[in-house]
Amino acid sequence: MTAITSLRGGAIDAIRSADLDRKTELAQESATRWFARRISLRSPLDAPLPERPGRPEKPLLVPPTQVEKRSLHTVPGRIALLHAIAHIELNAVDLALDIVARFASAHVPNSFFDGWMQVAFEEAKHFRMVRKRLNDLGADYGDLPAHDGLWQAAHSTRNDLTARLAVVPLILEARGLDVTPALQAKMRETGDLESAAVLDVIYNDEKGHVAVGAKWFRFLCAREKRDPARTFQELVRANFRGPLKAPFNDVARAEAGLTPSFYRALTSTSQS
């Protein structure tokens, strides 16, 4: 493995890597070294942050409308769902690393980076778990097309940390809290308890990820004397395309610090 020069350096090397085993390994190793305070936050030797994360040749990236929906009552349907989840988790690894690398010079305490490297570590774990489950079912990540919407959301908030927190953890990750319980139930219903167990781990960890986002979003709003719910709504309208869709898992969201006052006002109006 490449020498990790700093936390930002390790995060950038992981983002740049198109080898997904190496990407997840670098993410976790950078996190472990950072937690032990064995590396600095940044170094003059850090590579430049890439415009896009490194990716293997497959999967083919297509618009979200072209990603086929299939029944979970068939093995190909469960493979398609797990493939979509693997793609989300892979993007989540890069998004957590990107917030650390991109905002390494931001005026925030070190505990900000602790939180996001914990997220990166767990997203890397999730990607590996889902990929292994795909392998168990005779498939692999890259076998099916996937969409690129997640990275586009990150790109649109690259210059504003508060906007990034609003869009990535508080919309995209929070969406996982809304949809995962139904998927867990469907997997159990079809008898695929192994896939359901993987989703259980992801669901429980994701609550913590939304909580990290909510904590730092509120921190930045408090520092700037801005109302968190109103600021969230303004930033979402400016940076996120499309309405927020019900149903919402209000209980899990509230446990993570994301109360209905944040998102309810955004559900009735469509942003263009």
Side-chain angles (χ1 to χ4, degrees):
M1 185 177 287
T2 320
I4 296 172
T5 51
S6 68
L7 180 62
R8 181 176 64 180
I12 290 170
D13 287 347
I15 293 167
R16 288 160 63 109
S17 179
D19 176 329
L20 303 184
D21 290 330
R22 188 167 179 280
K23 183 189 289 286
T24 50
E25 202 176 310
L26 267 170
Q28 293 192 327
E29 183 61 23
S30 299
T32 302
R33 292 192 196 186
W34 172 252
F35 296 148
R37 298 298 187 254
R38 284 163 48 207
I39 48 174
S40 62
L41 177 56
R42 48 187 192 270
S43 155
L45 303 175
D46 298 341
L49 187 59
E51 276 288 299
R52 293 186 62 84
R55 286 284 183 271
E57 285 181 19
K58 289 183 170 182
L60 176 70
L61 296 178
V62 298
T65 48
Q66 287 179 29
V67 179
E68 202 182 328
K69 300 268 190 298
R70 303 182 197 182
S71 166
L72 292 185
H73 290 281
T74 66
V75 173
R78 293 201 291 282
I79 286 171
L81 174 70
L82 289 165
H83 192 279
I85 292 171
H87 185 65
I88 290 167
E89 298 301 327
L90 177 61
N91 274 278
V93 175
D94 285 317
L95 288 168
L97 294 169
D98 184 83
I99 205 169
V100 167
R102 188 172 298 279
F103 299 103
S105 300
H107 182 49
V108 287
N110 275 351
S111 53
F112 174 87
F113 303 103
D114 294 346
W116 288 109
M117 288 312 293
Q118 183 66 35
V119 173
F121 189 98
E122 290 172 356
E123 302 290 19
K125 173 186 77 177
H126 298 166
F127 176 74
R128 286 186 185 154
M129 288 172 75
V130 180
R131 192 176 193 181
K132 181 181 182 306
R133 185 66 196 132
L134 279 170
N135 295 163
D136 293 345
L137 293 170
D140 197 7
Y141 177 68
D143 287 356
L144 299 168
H147 73 80
D148 200 32
L150 293 167
W151 194 256
Q152 288 164 2
H155 189 70
S156 73
T157 57
R158 65 194 180 280
N159 299 320
D160 182 343
L161 177 54
T162 315
R164 171 65 65 89
L165 291 169
V167 170
V168 175
L170 302 188
I171 290 185
L172 301 179
E173 290 245 26
R175 190 74 192 128
L177 300 183
D178 302 333
V179 301
T180 307
L183 296 176
Q184 289 166 303
K186 278 185 187 158
M187 286 293 191
R188 288 196 184 91
E189 201 181 285
T190 63
D192 190 343
L193 302 183
E194 295 85 356
S195 296
V198 170
L199 291 176
D200 287 346
V201 173
I202 292 174
Y203 179 66
N204 288 318
D205 286 347
E206 298 292 351
K207 286 184 197 172
H209 302 176
V210 176
V212 170
K215 170 187 171 176
W216 291 108
F217 183 81
R218 288 175 185 278
F219 170 89
L220 293 175
C221 287
R223 193 166 71 186
E224 293 161 19
K225 298 186 170 49
R226 297 164 79 185
D227 175 76
R230 191 176 306 126
T231 303
F232 175 75
Q233 289 155 18
E234 287 165 4
L235 290 169
V236 170
R237 288 192 178 107
N239 294 285
F240 187 72
R241 297 288 164 257
L244 302 195
K245 297 186 185 81
F248 298 108
N249 186 342
D250 290 325
V251 173
R253 283 169 168 253
E255 282 172 4
L258 188 58
T259 52
S261 62
F262 274 68
Y263 51 88
R264 285 288 176 196
L266 295 165
T267 55
S268 52
T269 55
S270 170
Q271 295 90 46
S272 55

